[in-house]
Amino acid sequence: MRPSYGVAAERAGSWWAITIDELPGVFSQARRLDRVEAMARDAIAVFLGVPQDSFDLITRQHLAPDAQRAVTEALDARARATAGQRVASERSRVAARTLADLGLPQRDIGRLLDLSHQRVAQLLGTAQSTSDSVRTQPG
């Protein structure tokens, strides 16, 4: 089993200060967050005299509480929006199929759902292929 090291990155001025949990006294720094892992790998490899690809890293960033709260709220809001978009897409698909089954043309369906007729065609194509796969399954 490969060894694993915890890496903590904390903003210090215009740098990310990097510490390795399991190796007290091993430090590094990086200008940008996307360089933290590479710098930590280099520091660990040099300190232990091992190849940089011979261990795993578990990286975490430490932010001021207000900054962490803002990041968490933004990520949570984005996750809720993504979930809401999935629900809206599925309900649009069902509504488009229901209206199409009533014989409405795609342009009218688009107007009713506030979608382009091209999007309605996509929704109906998806709904049709889904219903076709359900009907063709042995049962």
Side-chain angles (χ1 to χ4, degrees):
M1 185 169 176
R2 290 166 51 106
S4 183
Y5 297 96
V7 176
E10 186 169 352
R11 197 69 179 167
S14 59
W15 292 84
W16 287 95
I18 303 166
T19 57
I20 313 304
D21 299 340
E22 297 80 5
L23 302 173
V26 177
F27 302 97
S28 190
Q29 61 184 5
R31 280 264 190 208
R32 295 186 331 259
L33 198 52
D34 65 347
R35 298 292 303 148
V36 166
E37 184 174 320
M39 298 304 291
R41 279 193 180 282
D42 185 55
I44 294 167
V46 168
F47 184 78
L48 297 177
V50 298
Q52 289 187 8
D53 62 354
S54 65
F55 52 87
D56 295 320
L57 298 178
I58 301 167
T59 306
R60 65 192 183 288
Q61 301 80 37
H62 294 285
L63 298 171
D66 58 333
Q68 185 60 57
R69 187 173 28 263
V71 168
T72 299
E73 288 172 359
L75 293 173
D76 289 348
R78 196 163 57 213
R80 286 191 307 274
T82 299
Q85 183 60 45
R86 275 190 236 113
V87 170
S89 293
E90 180 55 29
R91 292 202 177 142
S92 294
R93 190 174 296 110
V94 169
R97 173 54 47 212
T98 301
L99 295 171
D101 289 347
L102 292 174
L104 274 71
Q106 289 183 10
R107 288 187 187 272
D108 288 352
I109 295 169
R111 181 162 281 240
L112 288 167
L113 295 177
D114 194 25
L115 299 171
S116 69
H117 67 278
Q118 295 93 337
R119 179 64 181 135
V120 170
Q122 289 175 333
L123 290 171
L124 293 174
T126 302
Q128 185 62 46
S129 64
T130 300
S131 63
D132 283 349
S133 66
V134 169
R135 276 185 281 186
T136 59
Q137 290 179 353

